[in-house]
Amino acid sequence: FRQAALKVQSVWRGYRARSKFGPHIKEKRQNRKIERLDRKVKKLTRVVKQLQQALVEEQRYRQTQDHALRYLWDQVKMLTRNHNAASAGQNAVEQPVVEQQVERKVTSASEGGDEQSESERSASGGNAVWNQH
């Protein structure tokens, strides 16, 4: 009988406490829940900002790499073109170019000029690409 009386008392006290403080307790619980959610939102906002910054940095890095790669590829293409043109030009017109150079130098020396002709510049400036960079 004693245990039953204790049980009735505990149920009654619990009921009265919930009735009296119920709205207050519910409000506190709701506030704690809102605070937890607010902290989670703030944390997720920080994470999103960090990820956005990392993305921007990655995009800049990739853009720089892409630009450098394009520049290097253009240089390789230009050097290959110049090499192929020089190889083809040397085999096809090597002899006439030398004769023209000698002839122009003789003419230039007899006129007293020190100017270099276009063919002399192209023959001596076969490495013009190297001189530019």
Side-chain angles (χ1 to χ4, degrees):
F1 183 72
R2 186 166 169 93
Q3 287 181 336
L6 288 175
K7 188 68 172 171
V8 170
Q9 282 180 346
S10 67
V11 170
W12 175 252
R13 287 180 183 156
Y15 170 76
R16 282 190 48 195
R18 284 190 298 276
S19 298
K20 186 175 181 182
F21 300 110
H24 181 67
I25 291 173
K26 285 182 182 178
E27 184 181 333
K28 282 194 171 203
R29 284 183 184 161
Q30 193 68 15
N31 287 341
R32 276 187 267 153
K33 200 183 269 188
I34 290 171
E35 288 171 3
R36 277 192 306 254
L37 288 174
D38 191 43
R39 283 193 304 266
K40 286 181 182 179
V41 167
K42 286 178 181 179
K43 181 180 178 182
L44 290 174
T45 302
R46 282 193 308 268
V47 170
V48 167
K49 285 181 181 180
Q50 290 172 348
L51 290 174
Q52 285 174 335
Q53 289 174 348
L55 177 64
V56 168
E57 290 174 16
E58 178 71 20
Q59 287 172 338
R60 284 185 198 144
Y61 178 73
R62 285 178 184 252
Q63 188 177 26
T64 303
Q65 280 186 330
D66 189 44
H67 179 70
L69 198 58
R70 264 191 257 126
Y71 174 77
L72 290 174
W73 182 246
D74 290 343
Q75 294 296 312
V76 167
K77 287 193 303 190
M78 184 173 54
L79 290 173
T80 304
R81 230 181 294 130
N82 289 341
H83 176 72
N84 291 341
S87 296
Q90 263 184 344
N91 295 338
V93 292
E94 186 174 334
Q95 198 63 25
V97 170
V98 172
E99 289 173 7
Q100 287 175 359
Q101 287 176 352
V102 170
E103 189 176 308
R104 290 208 171 124
K105 282 184 183 179
V106 170
T107 308
S108 169
S110 65
E111 293 175 356
D114 224 10
E115 299 171 357
Q116 199 176 25
S117 70
E118 182 63 36
S119 63
E120 289 174 316
R121 272 185 250 129
S122 65
S124 67
N127 291 334
V129 173
W130 296 106
N131 296 335
Q132 290 176 358
H133 299 286

